[in-house]
Amino acid sequence: MTLEPVAAHAPLELEHFLPYRLSILSNTVSQSIATEYQDRFELSMTEWRVMTILARFPEISAREVVDRSAMDKVAVSRAVARLVDAGRVDRGIHDGDKRRSVLKLSEAGWAIHDEVAPLARAHERELLARLDEGEQAQLNSILDKLLAL
């Protein structure tokens, strides 16, 4: 019986590694629309994500934005600071508790949101048009299962 020699290194085949593939897909999809709102509104991808979360869940803290998005805490903090400085997000206090700040879109933030959101939805429709209805349902089911980890 002859044993096969063990390779000194066993490189990970990234092109077949699910986390890598999901990351590439996410970056590719996000970047394709991010360029448009970056150019038109001087808005980074992280800033847009923060704004969408605040549109859906107003009056939450930056920590809650992190929890809802799984984005990096430092990246969210920087994005919030830029959005507040640009007048797109208002920062207030929670029920008179000065230790806890809450965030919400300002009127200027809502104006940008209301322009970008339809672009994002149209982009999503174009992307999903590559799949038939059954594949779209499967994709949603698979994503739900994986996100429940």
Side-chain angles (χ1 to χ4, degrees):
M1 177 161 141
T2 306
L3 296 176
E4 292 291 321
V6 176
H9 303 283
L12 188 60
E13 293 180 9
L14 287 176
E15 65 275 15
H16 301 294
F17 187 56
L18 181 62
Y20 178 78
R21 293 177 74 200
L22 291 173
S23 176
I24 293 296
L25 177 62
S26 174
N27 291 340
T28 302
V29 169
S30 295
Q31 196 56 52
S32 64
I33 190 164
T35 301
E36 187 167 351
Y37 52 74
Q38 231 166 8
D39 292 346
R40 286 179 60 181
F41 303 102
E42 297 180 12
L43 193 63
S44 73
M45 193 177 339
T46 304
E47 289 167 344
W48 170 243
R49 288 178 178 168
V50 168
M51 288 179 68
T52 61
I53 290 167
L54 294 178
R56 179 79 170 91
F57 306 101
E59 306 266 336
I60 63 172
S61 69
R63 178 73 198 148
E64 289 169 294
V65 171
V66 169
D67 292 344
R68 289 186 178 279
S69 67
M71 290 188 291
D72 178 71
K73 182 170 66 170
V74 172
V76 168
S77 177
R78 288 181 181 152
V80 166
R82 287 190 302 268
L83 289 166
V84 168
D85 289 346
R88 296 171 174 177
V89 167
D90 292 329
R91 187 188 320 257
I93 57 173
H94 182 264
D95 292 335
D97 182 355
K98 293 181 182 177
R99 295 170 296 164
R100 182 165 182 248
S101 65
V102 291
L103 307 167
K104 67 178 183 177
L105 292 180
S106 65
E107 285 188 38
W110 275 112
I112 291 170
H113 174 275
D114 292 346
E115 279 193 63
V116 177
L119 298 173
R121 287 185 194 104
H123 185 71
E124 178 188 43
R125 281 191 303 275
E126 287 175 28
L127 182 66
L128 290 175
R130 299 173 186 199
L131 306 175
D132 64 36
E133 284 184 32
E135 290 169 328
Q136 289 180 32
Q138 278 184 308
L139 176 62
N140 281 325
S141 176
I142 291 167
L143 290 173
D144 288 344
K145 283 181 181 179
L146 293 177
L147 288 169
L149 293 175

